[in-house]
């Protein structure tokens, strides 16, 4: 959780001076046809700039992120009981 508004940090890449993260809000999704979209933000923080960019993510987007992250970080691949699974709440 990031704050009381039930926002969770999907991931964060950081070093001592900069970071980029995606935060997803746990609120009712926007429904368009059969697809549901969740409010999210890309959060950038560094020594010279801080900013947020709003976006909407679908369950398909989250599945794509999971595949990308596991592909780029082999240590996330399932082994010895370790895995990465993204399950946003539909509530």
């Amino acid at each position: 959780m990031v704050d009381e508004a039930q926002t969770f940090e999907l991931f964060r890449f950081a070093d001592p001076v900069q970071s980029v993260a995606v935060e997803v809000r746990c609120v009712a999704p926007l429904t368009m046809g059969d697809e549901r979209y969740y409010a999210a933000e890309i959060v950038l923080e560094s020594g010279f700039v801080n900013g947020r960019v709003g976006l909407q993510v679908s369950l398909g987007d989250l599945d794509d992120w999971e595949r990308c992250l596991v592909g780029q970080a082999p240590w996330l691949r399932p082994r010895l009981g370790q895995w990465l699974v993204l399950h946003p709440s539909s509530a």
Side-chain angles (χ1 to χ4, degrees):
M1 284 296 168
V2 173
D3 60 24
E4 297 299 320
Q6 294 198 1
T7 299
F8 73 92
E9 192 170 85
L10 184 60
F11 66 84
R12 173 177 294 272
F13 297 112
D15 65 22
V17 295
Q18 59 195 0
S19 68
V20 64
V22 172
E23 297 176 357
V24 179
R25 293 187 47 105
C26 301
V27 297
L30 170 65
T31 303
M32 297 181 72
D34 292 335
E35 193 69 66
R36 291 180 296 180
Y37 295 90
Y38 297 85
E41 290 184 312
I42 297 173
V43 182
L44 175 66
E45 298 173 345
S46 75
F48 64 93
V49 68
N50 294 321
R52 293 176 171 268
V53 177
L55 68 146
Q56 301 287 325
V57 295
S58 69
L59 294 178
D61 294 331
L62 296 175
D63 288 342
D64 290 344
W65 271 109
E66 178 183 22
R67 282 190 294 279
C68 178
L69 289 172
V70 170
Q72 296 301 314
W75 52 268
L76 290 173
R77 290 191 182 110
R79 69 180 193 284
L80 302 174
Q82 300 173 1
W83 63 89
L84 172 67
V85 180
L86 306 174
H87 293 284
S89 173
S90 61

